[in-house]
Amino acid sequence: MKSKYFFLLVVLVSLFITSNASAQGVFEYGTKKCKYTSIVPENKDRDWTKTGKNEWTPLTENAMLHQIAEKCSGWYFQPGVFGAYTNLTQDIDANTSVSVKEFSPKAELVIGYDFCTGHRNGVHPRNFALSVEAKVQLTKIPTLRYQELTYTKDGYVPTVGANLVLHFTKHKPWQFSLYGGAGYTRLTSYYPQATEVGSVRRIAHNTLSYEAGVQIMKRVKIGHSIGIKAGYEKIQTTHLGRGQFSIGFVWKFKKTHKSKSMTYVEYYSLTH
């Protein structure tokens, strides 16, 4: 293409680099599922000039660009940090129980898989979707004492389990979800004054934990979403229980896919 014709195109049309559904057919990723996309100019300092937020104009007809995509279905990694309000209870006998309440930190690591539920009428992606998650949590519990005996010592208690996440605004700017699940937690009661040979010094309570809550996420760029997650977790054994409210920040990392590169002229001819 001659240079005069190229620069005429630049005058008539400036390339808007953003999430662009109309350009999805130009780039192939080997999937029929929905995806979020963004067009990225290459060699920005040399071949492009920035003319606005997310807006670039090519300086040469050989300016290269490619597209990155985040598929709606696929694996993700989601760490989180929380503040928690913990209520730890211990039943001493049929008529006596003790409890202690404390604000404490909590950390979570989630590996999940998003399922895409397809498109309505073959055009619009559905806003209802679901995810399944495997989780590992670490929560600090307080010291719980009864008279001169220490029944639980403060420290970090792990939980492993799984959640099901229901998304109700999957393809909106803000993603509202409900989640719930179960896990396995070990809480331990200590009896430091049990000094006789053969006496019980500690009892491990192997139990299930149940959790439910709400999550609100915002995609900040392709492959990255941040949000707030709040929920309640309940653990109850025969004599030891823990209830916990928590709220915190989560960051979702998802794999992105890069298309082959093409020149601006090739891109323009395929999309106009």
Side-chain angles (χ1 to χ4, degrees):
M1 181 179 290
K2 295 182 179 180
S3 296
K4 287 195 299 184
Y5 182 62
F6 165 72
F7 285 110
L8 178 61
L9 285 177
V10 173
V11 173
L12 294 175
V13 180
S14 63
L15 181 62
F16 189 69
I17 308 299
T18 186
S19 297
N20 187 348
S22 66
Q24 290 188 14
V26 177
F27 303 93
E28 298 298 332
Y29 299 93
T31 178
K32 295 180 181 179
K33 302 296 185 182
C34 60
K35 53 184 175 284
Y36 307 95
T37 63
S38 180
I39 302 170
V40 180
E42 299 178 1
N43 302 315
K44 295 178 182 178
D45 296 337
R46 186 187 67 191
D47 297 334
W48 301 81
T49 182
K50 192 169 185 178
T51 54
K53 184 180 180 180
N54 296 324
E55 188 175 348
W56 298 82
T57 300
L59 298 175
T60 169
E61 61 182 353
N62 293 318
M64 302 294 291
L65 56 87
H66 65 268
Q67 187 182 69
I68 59 173
E70 173 193 329
K71 296 179 183 179
C72 294
S73 57
W75 294 97
Y76 62 88
F77 170 75
Q78 183 176 296
V81 291
F82 303 84
Y85 180 71
T86 301
N87 181 18
L88 191 65
T89 61
Q90 174 82 55
D91 294 328
I92 307 304
D93 53 42
N95 300 313
T96 307
S97 65
V98 293
S99 66
V100 61
K101 301 176 178 64
E102 182 179 277
F103 288 98
S104 55
K106 176 180 178 179
E108 179 183 74
L109 183 60
V110 164
I111 298 177
Y113 189 88
D114 280 328
F115 291 92
C116 182
T117 52
H119 297 70
R120 288 181 291 109
N121 302 320
V123 179
H124 301 290
R126 297 181 185 275
N127 280 314
F128 178 79
L130 60 87
S131 304
V132 291
E133 297 178 339
K135 63 182 179 181
V136 177
Q137 298 169 334
L138 197 63
T139 305
K140 186 177 183 298
I141 62 170
T143 296
L144 180 61
R145 295 179 181 274
Y146 175 66
Q147 297 179 353
E148 298 301 320
L149 301 178
T150 300
Y151 281 88
T152 57
K153 297 191 294 186
D154 71 314
Y156 286 89
V157 175
T159 298
V160 296
N163 283 343
L164 177 67
V165 185
L166 302 179
H167 305 284
F168 296 95
T169 57
K170 177 70 173 177
H171 297 93
K172 300 292 185 180
W174 290 91
Q175 298 176 16
F176 174 81
S177 308
L178 298 177
Y179 70 91
Y184 172 85
T185 301
R186 169 173 284 191
L187 298 177
T188 304
S189 297
Y190 294 88
Y191 303 90
Q193 292 190 4
T195 57
E196 297 180 5
V197 176
S199 60
V200 176
R201 288 181 171 82
R202 66 180 181 179
I203 297 176
H205 307 270
N206 302 317
T207 185
L208 288 175
S209 63
Y210 301 94
E211 183 181 22
V214 61
Q215 178 176 282
I216 301 174
M217 302 290 288
K218 168 70 174 176
R219 180 173 290 96
V220 292
K221 66 177 183 178
I222 302 299
H224 294 260
S225 298
I226 59 174
I228 296 175
K229 185 174 181 179
Y232 179 75
E233 181 190 39
K234 179 64 176 178
I235 297 172
Q236 185 65 56
T237 68
T238 304
H239 299 292
L240 190 63
R242 184 182 79 186
Q244 185 180 79
F245 289 98
S246 64
I247 184 170
F249 296 96
V250 293
W251 196 316
K252 183 176 181 178
F253 299 89
K254 202 166 181 182
K255 182 180 179 181
T256 58
H257 305 263
K258 178 182 176 181
S259 73
K260 66 178 182 180
S261 299
M262 65 174 65
T263 67
Y264 167 71
V265 172
E266 291 173 330
Y267 172 82
Y268 184 85
S269 66
L270 290 170
T271 55
H272 292 81

